[in-house]
Amino acid sequence: MNKIEYNLWGREFDLDITYDCYSDEEVLESQKEAVKSFLRFSKETDDALESVKEYCLTNNRKEIGSNNIDNIFKYVVPQYLFVPRDEMHQTVAIMCNYKFDLEGGMAIVFQNGKLLDIGKQEIIL
């Protein structure tokens, strides 16, 4: 496991990088490349903020009590990066705690430099 300093939506985070592989397996070169590629696509992660806000409002507008979110970090807190074992695509997920789903959390999944999906962490694990 590695650790990186990552600026997400204007805030610095120390995030662990968790690679999907068994203890007797090596981290694939494609997984390492996925992380390097992900780190170059800061515009895409910045742009994902609006989609994350929309996800929160779609699923928990009543609890939020508003039609807009000024501070996403009141609801979503990044914890680590997860890199699935995938030789075909460069996939990285930002795994987050989510105030309204403490058990399922939130995964913000990027593939080949673009936002792919937002949902419970089970969508990528």
Side-chain angles (χ1 to χ4, degrees), residues 17-22 25-38 82-87 89-92:
I17 303 172
T18 302
Y19 295 97
D20 182 21
C21 64
Y22 294 108
E25 294 178 320
E26 296 270 331
V27 173
L28 298 173
E29 197 58 39
S30 61
Q31 289 174 293
K32 294 176 189 175
E33 284 301 314
V35 172
K36 288 178 189 173
S37 177
F38 173 79
F82 178 75
V83 187
R85 198 164 185 84
D86 185 348
E87 293 186 73
H89 304 98
Q90 293 186 339
T91 306
V92 175

Side-chain angles (χ1 to χ4, degrees), residues 111-124:
Q111 189 172 79
N112 300 330
K114 301 203 181 312
L115 179 64
L116 177 68
D117 202 2
I118 299 170
K120 292 180 181 233
Q121 291 180 359
E122 66 190 26
I123 65 173
I124 192 76

Side-chain angles (χ1 to χ4, degrees), residues 56-112:
C56 295
L57 290 169
T58 298
N59 291 287
N60 300 99
R61 187 178 312 270
K62 184 185 259 185
E63 293 91 334
I64 292 169
S66 177
N67 287 327
N68 64 356
I69 296 173
D70 294 327
N71 180 2
I72 192 64
F73 300 114
K74 289 169 73 173
Y75 312 109
V76 178
V77 180
Q79 297 297 302
Y80 65 99
L81 299 181
F82 178 75
V83 187
R85 198 164 185 84
D86 185 348
E87 293 186 73
M88 301 299 292
H89 304 98
Q90 293 186 339
T91 306
V92 175
I94 303 171
M95 307 299 268
C96 305
N97 288 343
Y98 182 45
K99 180 176 181 172
F100 303 110
D101 189 352
L102 299 177
E103 191 173 306
M106 178 187 287
I108 308 164
V109 183
F110 294 87
Q111 189 172 79
N112 300 330

